[in-house]
């Protein structure tokens, strides 16, 4: 580029993006390794879709599961389907392609929906912890506090919060000038590795990302840990069997919370520098955790198993009468 053309080029790149596509580095460049990874992640993805979809259908069709707890669980399964679909299909296609490119618009869309579903899930996990707190610590007023209207209001609020969060991040990202490097050091587009490619100082944007995504992750994680801590303290006066079941359930839930929020804290609570662990953490975040959620949250539950059997036409002859919404919660304990 000629010296005299530099001022015009600089002015232009501050108003529009010159990069039209990005190159995703991916997980491996070895063809044989990519083929193995394709099979592995295809199986994981299909299991994620089947497991979460089956849970949503079961909860919708089973009258006994029309309770606040299962309402939020169905939302979690729906979010997990969407969350994994944002990144995994593109990753699978790239395993079979020599050119791992994504358009600028496609990259922006991927980042928007990734943060929409991720942030919404964080808020949902927090609401679910509150639901369990009310059910255990204030069981007499549980169905009054967690009424159908309140559940719908909470669901709408978390989706609105996720949307606002995602729009804020994407708004900051797309305003940056991208005029040179194109390689995104991951298998999907995310805000930290993308803003590293900007042709300007991104320190302020990184601080805003930490104060946005990082703060949300840390605060929600603390709230969740405190909530489960209060629940565990309240279980001291319970019968041994009920306390054992509740401890098992809380431990399983905290496992999912740690896996999911651990990624968010690790990635978004520090400057956008790359570590070799980033891709491993991202794999758990996008492909593994959405599969673990239905197993840990629902498939371990007897009421869910009974509803699945009824849905599939395998109802046993001597099935006990359906339990009430309050009894359903007590079974989860």
């Amino acid at each position: 580029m000629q010296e005299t053309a530099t001022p015009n080029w600089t002015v232009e790149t501050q108003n529009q993006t010159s990069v039209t596509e990005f190159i995703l580095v991916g997980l491996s460049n070895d063809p044989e390794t990519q083929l193995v990874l394709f099979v592995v992640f295809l199986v994981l993805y299909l299991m994620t879709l089947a497991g979460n979809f089956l849970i949503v259908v079961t909860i919708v069709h089973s009258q006994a599961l029309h309770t606040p707890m299962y309402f939020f669980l169905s939302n979690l399964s729906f979010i997990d389907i969407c969350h994994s679909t944002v990144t995994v299909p593109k990753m699978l296609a790239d395993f079979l392609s020599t050119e791992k490119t994504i358009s600028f618009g496609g990259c922006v869309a991927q980042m928007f929906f990734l943060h929409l579903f991720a942030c919404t899930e964080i808020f949902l996990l927090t609401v679910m912890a509150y639901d369990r707190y009310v059910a255990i610590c204030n069981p007499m007023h549980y169905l009054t506090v967690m009424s159908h209207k309140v559940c719908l209001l909470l669901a709408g609020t978390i989706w609105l919060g996720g949307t606002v969060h995602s729009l804020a991040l994407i708004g900051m990202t797309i305003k940056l000038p991208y005029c040179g490097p194109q390689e995104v050091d991951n298998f999907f587009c995310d805000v930290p590795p993308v803003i590293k490619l900007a042709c300007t100082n991104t320190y302020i944007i990184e601080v805003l990302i930490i104060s946005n995504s990082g703060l949300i992750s840390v605060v929600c994680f603390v709230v969740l840990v405190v909530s489960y801590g209060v629940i565990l303290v309240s279980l001291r006066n319970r019968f041994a069997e009920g306390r054992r079941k509740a401890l098992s359930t809380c431990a399983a839930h905290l496992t999912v919370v740690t896996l999911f929020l651990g990624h968010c804290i690790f990635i978004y609570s520090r400057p956008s520098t790359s570590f070799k662990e980033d891709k491993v953490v991202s794999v758990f975040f996008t492909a593994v955790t959405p599969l673990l959620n239905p197993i840990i949250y629902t498939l371990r539950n007897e009421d869910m198993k009974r509803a699945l059997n009824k849905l599939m036409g395998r109802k046993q002859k001597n099935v006990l009468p359906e339990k009430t919404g309050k009894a359903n919660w007590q079974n989860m304990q």
Side-chain angles (χ1 to χ4, degrees), residues 30 45 50 101 159 171 179 189 198 203 248 255 271 280 287 296 304 306 319 323:
D30 180 64
Y45 181 59
T101 60
W159 278 100
C179 51
C189 284
Y203 175 77
S248 175
T255 300
V280 177
I296 293 178
M304 177 60 69
R306 188 181 299 112
V319 178
K323 299 180 181 180

Side-chain angles (χ1 to χ4, degrees), residues 71 89 100 120 141 148 155 176-177 189 193 235 244 266 283 290 292 330:
F71 170 75
K100 300 174 175 58
T120 302
H141 300 91
H148 183 65
L176 296 173
C189 284
L235 292 173
R244 185 190 64 80
F266 180 77
V283 166
L292 293 179
Q330 293 174 344

